[in-house]
Amino acid sequence: MSLTFTLDPAVTPALRDGILDLWTDVSNAGGAVGFVPPVTREAIRPEVVRYFAQMAEGRTRLLVGHDDTGEVAATAFFTFNTHRLMTHWAWLYTVMVHPWHQGKGYGRDLLTAAERAARTIDGIEAIRLTCRGGLGLERFYGSCGYKEVGRIPGAIRVAPGEDRDDVIMLLPLV
Ligand SMILES: CC(C)(COP(=O)(O)OP(=O)(O)OC[C@H]1O[C@@H](n2cnc3c(N)ncnc32)[C@H](O)[C@@H]1OP(=O)(O)O)[C@@H](O)C(=O)NCCC(=O)NCCS
């Protein structure tokens, strides 16, 4: 089995609900995508709505992976800078693979698809992202060609007294 990746999929209620389920399941499995468990779909819904609004404005583009049953199994969101001197690179946010599907190479497939997609976007010369330290994610992104270019110690507070580094990773495309 493999995932089928689509940039700019048709926006439907099924897509929205699929992303909401994916994000909730990933978060409750301990994934580092903006929340700490336990988290409900209702807590995550405003973030999904925010992404869809940005997509409608063209400020964000979604790369989605579907499994062979048609379920949403992976996402990555490109966000573009409004700062006029920073339009030559894009952010990649909310990189996630459903816990059922993790560890089978789909995360790497997702980042390969993201790199390929970014190369089709006019003027984009690098992908930048941040990840939570302490989970080995730098190794994952490193295996996909990203380099650690910065680290803000303790910038992410997952619980009182439990701080994690915010790690900045970069993939140059030129
Ligand atoms: C991080 C994530 C996208 C990786 O996807 P995946 O499908 O599990 O990863 P793959 O199977 O493609 O693994 C690719 C490589 O990265 C490694 N890897 C994957 N997740 C890792 C992790 N959390 N820590 C360290 N290494 C990891 C794998 O061991 C593999 O290396 P190998 O080829 O040397 O064995 C996925 O685990 C996930 O969604 N996690 C929860 C959400 C999250 O934390 N996202 C990151 C936001 S910054």
Side-chain angles (χ1 to χ4, degrees):
M1 201 173 91
S2 61
L3 301 187
T4 305
F5 294 101
T6 312
L7 182 65
D8 305 327
V11 170
T12 62
L15 178 73
R16 187 199 54 214
D17 290 349
I19 293 171
L20 198 45
D21 288 340
L22 169 68
W23 201 336
T24 308
D25 291 350
V26 166
S27 299
N28 283 324
V33 277
F35 293 90
V36 288
V39 67
T40 62
R41 285 173 107 242
E42 291 323 303
I44 293 178
R45 187 184 298 274
E47 295 298 319
V48 176
V49 169
R50 195 170 60 87
Y51 269 141
F52 276 58
Q54 290 176 0
M55 282 154 55
E57 291 166 2
R59 289 165 49 210
T60 289
R61 293 176 72 176
L62 166 62
L63 177 70
V64 66
H66 286 94
D67 67 16
D68 58 4
T69 69
E71 294 291 324
V72 173
T75 59
F77 292 81
F78 287 107
T79 296
F80 305 101
N81 290 299
T82 49
H83 191 297
R84 70 184 65 77
L85 305 183
M86 296 188 188
T87 56
H88 59 298
W89 54 271
W91 291 95
L92 197 64
Y93 287 115
T94 322
V95 171
M96 55 187 173
V97 171
H98 195 280
W100 289 332
H101 292 302
Q102 287 174 13
K104 302 180 199 164
Y106 298 156
R108 191 174 285 143
D109 293 348
L110 173 66
L111 289 192
T112 301
E115 178 178 351
R116 194 171 299 136
R119 290 184 187 281
T120 70
I121 302 172
D122 233 18
I124 294 302
E125 296 178 10
I127 304 173
R128 173 171 165 182
L129 59 81
T130 61
C131 67
R132 196 183 292 176
L135 299 169
L137 290 164
E138 308 88 319
R139 196 172 71 77
F140 164 66
Y141 288 113
S143 81
C144 299
Y146 289 71
K147 292 266 180 324
E148 180 178 332
V149 293
R151 179 179 284 260
I152 316 297
I156 303 171
R157 180 153 298 170
V158 292
E162 273 193 66
D163 294 351
R164 303 279 183 269
D165 294 353
D166 193 24
V167 185
I168 306 164
M169 309 287 303
L170 188 74
L171 180 73
L173 300 173
V174 292

